[in-house]
Amino acid sequence: MATPQQPPNDSWLQDSYNSSEDSIDYPIVNTDLLVNVPLDFIRDTFNHTDLPELFTNFEAALQGLEFSYEADAEKFDDESLQVEIGLLYGLLHARFVTTDQGLAKLRRMFLAGKFGVCPREGCKDCPLLPIGASNVPGVSPLGGYCVYCKDVYLPLSHDVSKGELVDGSFYGSSFPQVFLSRYPKLESKLIASLDATTSSDSPTYYKDIDTKLSRENMHLFGFKINWRLVE
């Protein structure tokens, strides 16, 4: 099995990526596939829209999450509360990564190949964008979307310590659409760069599912977009 390679190192792709700056290392969500969500974003009540109904005690989870920014979350004795704190962080993370600040962080991670590369040989190690098959927690693990072949692969990684432990709702089903809408020239430049390279052996541990991105199913901050109003 071949080892996934980094995306092409063209000049336009070069961008600084600091894993210690952009990845999260809190005990509640210990993975480098999520980014740090600022505390002011966590506290902003607008970002809590429709979330309380998903929790047994939303206020306790929110207070615990705020506390975890200053102390070790493992000090919580209530395991169920700790689970809800991690879930709340993940759902707020899904909203944060659609902001300009969050998208900038994900752009660096994407170009660094942080989410792996497409397993199809014809895609020439195209880096994957994170995506969830559902916006509902507990439905699917984190997957990867390839901008070259337009397919989705679940789970994101064969490594249980990474993609399979990250809930797909922590990015949601619309993230690639939002990302590519924010950086409209990135997709064409990346594809052109990949077309100029030779293909290589690819891993086979990804599961290909018949899922295509459609703007009719696009959500932002948990709300389905009404394109008639946008246009």
Side-chain angles (χ1 to χ4, degrees):
M1 181 182 299
T3 302
Q5 299 179 5
Q6 295 295 319
N9 190 25
D10 291 281
S11 58
W12 72 272
L13 278 172
Q14 293 178 358
D15 201 347
S16 60
Y17 172 70
N18 186 328
S19 60
S20 62
E21 173 188 348
D22 291 332
S23 61
I24 178 171
D25 56 4
Y26 301 123
I28 51 171
V29 189
N30 187 16
T31 176
D32 59 358
L33 296 180
L34 302 181
V35 301
N36 284 313
V37 179
L39 185 56
D40 59 351
F41 187 92
I42 297 289
R43 289 173 170 166
D44 190 335
T45 56
F46 174 79
N47 300 326
H48 304 163
T49 304
D50 290 339
L51 291 182
E53 61 191 46
L54 301 177
F55 295 84
T56 303
N57 191 333
F58 177 79
E59 291 301 325
L62 179 60
Q63 291 177 7
L65 179 56
E66 293 176 353
F67 176 76
S68 70
Y69 274 70
E70 302 176 356
D72 189 346
E74 292 181 347
K75 292 181 179 179
F76 290 108
D77 295 328
D78 189 340
E79 292 186 4
S80 62
L81 176 59
Q82 187 166 333
V83 170
E84 291 210 331
I85 292 172
L87 175 60
L88 177 57
Y89 184 91
L91 295 178
L92 287 171
H93 175 276
R95 298 181 174 191
F96 173 70
V97 294
T98 62
T99 66
D100 281 345
Q101 184 181 1
L103 288 167
K105 288 176 177 285
L106 265 296
R107 181 180 183 274
R108 292 193 293 269
M109 294 176 70
F110 170 63
L111 294 180
K114 193 68 175 179
F115 302 98
V117 297
C118 183
R120 287 184 174 172
E121 184 175 352
C123 291
K124 306 172 184 179
D125 293 328
C126 180
L128 295 171
L129 281 169
I131 186 174
S134 173
N135 297 318
V136 179
V139 173
S140 76
L142 185 64
Y145 171 74
C146 175
V147 300
Y148 198 99
C149 66
K150 316 299 183 188
D151 264 333
V152 175
Y153 300 88
L154 292 175
L156 177 67
S157 173
H158 72 303
D159 187 343
V160 177
S161 67
K162 293 185 178 180
E164 293 185 19
L165 288 187
V166 178
D167 197 293
S169 65
F170 290 4
Y171 277 95
S173 60
S174 299
F175 176 75
Q177 298 155 299
V178 175
F179 181 87
L180 295 173
S181 296
R182 177 63 180 83
Y183 302 109
K185 297 181 180 180
L186 184 62
E187 181 177 5
S188 59
K189 288 184 177 181
L190 177 59
I191 291 176
S193 176
L194 292 170
D195 283 340
T197 66
T198 57
S199 61
S200 60
D201 292 335
S202 301
T204 58
Y205 48 75
Y206 293 82
K207 178 183 178 183
D208 186 4
I209 63 173
D210 186 18
T211 302
K212 304 292 185 181
L213 295 185
S214 169
R215 76 175 196 167
E216 283 72 23
N217 296 319
M218 191 172 178
H219 290 71
L220 190 62
F221 267 64
F223 298 100
K224 189 172 182 178
I225 296 178
N226 187 331
W227 288 101
R228 289 179 298 177
L229 297 179
V230 174
E231 298 172 345

